[in-house]
Amino acid sequence: MAGHERSPERPGRLLELDALRGIAAVLVVVFHFTAAYGHEIGWSGTEPLFRFTSGQAGVALFFVISGFVIAMTLERSRTALDFIVSRFARLYPAFWFSALLTTGLIVATGFNPFHLTIRGFLASLTMANGLTDMPFIDPAYWTLTREILFYAFFAAAYFGLGARHTTGVLLAWIVVTSLYNVFVADTNVYACRTAASCGAILLNATFAHLFAAGALAYKLHRGERTPLVLASLFLAIAAASVSFWPEHGFQPSASAKAAFFVGLVMAAAAGYLKVLRSPVLIFLGAISYSLYLLHQVIGYFLIGGLVRWGLGADLAILTAFCLVTILASAVCYGVERPSQRAILRLYAPYRERRRLDAVPTV
């Protein structure tokens, strides 16, 4: 990692990966605002001239980046508790604030397009709502369940078996989940409605290959170019072709897309994509988490209101995007970053005491 440009605020963080995360977030937002809005809410007037229908591209890129970053984070964590605290500080404060903000909008305005209930609200606050069939505060939160399941699985393998065994674990995970997709899973890949679909979510079966590919890409990036790592990465990319088997059958094009995303992440991490160091992309990467958390329900509310006020669909989408970006910036720099620093600062003395206690006395 030496020699690459780092973020001045967060040393050791690759700017290019932040930029890719920003691109992934924008892809998801544009998909929801242009294509999903018409399907889920419906246009009352003219429809947008442009519709981006490949929202899965943003999600897939997110998951590959997550695999890469979590593998890197685990390597930098001395203990499992260090990893847990760092992930909690990174994810939960901004998530809870954004969830409460979205819920406040729903309660105050009555705009409840996804039929949020009190039970769904409480379950959503855990980030594990994807293990139930209750409504999310914001439908985009479904990916958060997949993320924390991956964190728990990979951290258990890393700290339980040791770093050198994680490649074998990832390989076994890819094989098991691929077989599950073909022979067991059903079409309820996003909701726990049947035993098969609940098992698929627990195994992360539909998206395991993306997380695993990202983690294996990190191993290659740091110089672990063994035949097992290379074979496992090849199998992870190949597994993409059966990841949506219950819905679409065999999809070779999915493997081509997975290979592209893995190559993109590796090239960015290696510093070959200097164009990603654009200030705009780095800014979008910085606010990407808050933008993702806030965009769907709040964005839909804004688009609907703007259309009722007489704006055309395209101008309403653009205006809503700008407003949600401003809101995400405020949450990122006013809540997400300060709370993360505060939690890590509070944890630092305890971590240092444990480190000193572990040093053998002479």
Side-chain angles (χ1 to χ4, degrees):
M1 307 286 281
H4 296 304
E5 188 173 346
R6 312 300 176 94
S7 165
E9 290 191 32
R10 291 179 286 179
R13 194 178 190 94
L14 291 171
L15 292 173
E16 292 88 345
L17 286 184
D18 274 345
L20 278 184
R21 189 182 287 107
I23 292 171
V26 169
L27 290 177
V28 173
V29 174
V30 172
F31 163 72
H32 282 141
F33 283 12
T34 63
Y37 181 88
H39 174 70
E40 295 170 341
I41 307 297
W43 294 102
S44 59
T46 59
E47 298 187 2
L49 297 175
F50 167 75
R51 293 185 185 184
F52 178 69
T53 59
S54 300
Q56 275 293 338
V59 173
L61 182 54
F62 263 131
F63 287 165
V64 173
I65 295 171
S66 287
F68 189 100
V69 170
I70 293 306
M72 180 168 58
T73 303
L74 283 168
E75 192 174 73
R76 296 175 178 178
S77 301
R78 291 176 57 87
T79 66
L81 184 59
D82 290 349
F83 175 76
I84 292 169
V85 171
S86 71
R87 288 293 89 194
F88 177 87
R90 172 74 178 89
L91 299 179
Y92 275 92
F95 169 69
W96 283 333
F97 185 88
S98 300
L100 291 173
L101 196 63
T102 301
T103 304
L105 173 74
I106 292 170
V107 172
T109 66
F111 180 74
N112 190 10
F114 302 103
H115 312 293
L116 178 66
T117 63
I118 293 176
R119 291 179 63 203
F121 166 76
L122 295 174
S124 288
L125 293 179
T126 67
M127 281 197 194
N129 202 26
L131 296 173
T132 73
D133 192 24
M134 289 185 283
F136 292 91
I137 294 171
D138 190 302
Y141 294 176
W142 72 266
T143 61
L144 302 179
T145 300
R146 308 308 176 98
E147 291 276 357
I148 61 171
L149 286 172
F150 169 64
Y151 298 167
F153 166 75
F154 199 40
Y158 186 90
F159 291 109
L161 300 176
R164 63 194 180 95
H165 295 296
T166 54
T167 301
V169 171
L170 291 171
L171 176 59
W173 189 35
I174 295 164
V175 172
V176 168
T177 52
S178 296
L179 292 173
Y180 193 96
N181 286 330
V182 174
F183 295 107
V184 182
D186 59 28
T187 56
N188 297 304
V189 295
Y190 297 109
C192 183
R193 292 174 182 162
T194 64
S197 62
C198 292
I201 292 172
L202 279 170
L203 287 171
N204 239 332
T206 309
F207 306 101
H209 66 286
L210 296 170
F211 290 116
L216 292 163
Y218 176 71
K219 287 176 175 286
L220 288 177
H221 174 75
R222 63 185 291 278
E224 192 178 334
R225 299 181 179 89
T226 66
L228 183 60
V229 171
L230 292 168
S232 299
L233 180 57
F234 174 81
L235 190 60
I237 292 170
S241 63
V242 297
S243 58
F244 281 89
W245 181 277
E247 288 187 302
H248 305 298
F250 182 62
Q251 285 187 299
S253 62
S255 289
K257 293 174 185 177
F260 173 74
F261 292 136
V262 171
L264 196 62
V265 169
M266 292 187 69
Y272 295 137
L273 301 179
K274 292 181 172 56
V275 66
L276 294 176
R277 295 177 184 173
S278 157
V280 173
L281 292 179
I282 292 171
F283 165 72
L284 289 172
I287 69 166
S288 60
Y289 182 50
S290 293
L291 180 62
Y292 186 83
L293 293 174
L294 292 163
H295 80 275
Q296 193 166 3
V297 170
I298 294 176
Y300 283 5
F301 174 78
L302 291 171
I303 291 171
L306 291 166
V307 168
R308 286 193 298 274
W309 290 343
L311 270 66
D314 296 291
L315 185 56
I317 289 169
L318 179 60
T319 304
F321 179 85
C322 293
L323 292 173
V324 171
T325 300
I326 292 170
L327 179 60
S329 302
V331 172
C332 174
Y333 294 105
V335 177
E336 180 183 340
R337 295 261 180 111
S339 60
Q340 182 180 11
R341 287 194 294 264
I343 291 170
L344 294 179
R345 188 164 53 244
L346 288 171
Y347 177 65
Y350 174 74
R351 181 180 59 190
E352 183 63 18
R353 284 197 301 272
R354 286 192 300 112
R355 187 187 68 81
L356 293 175
D357 290 343
V359 175
T361 56
V362 179

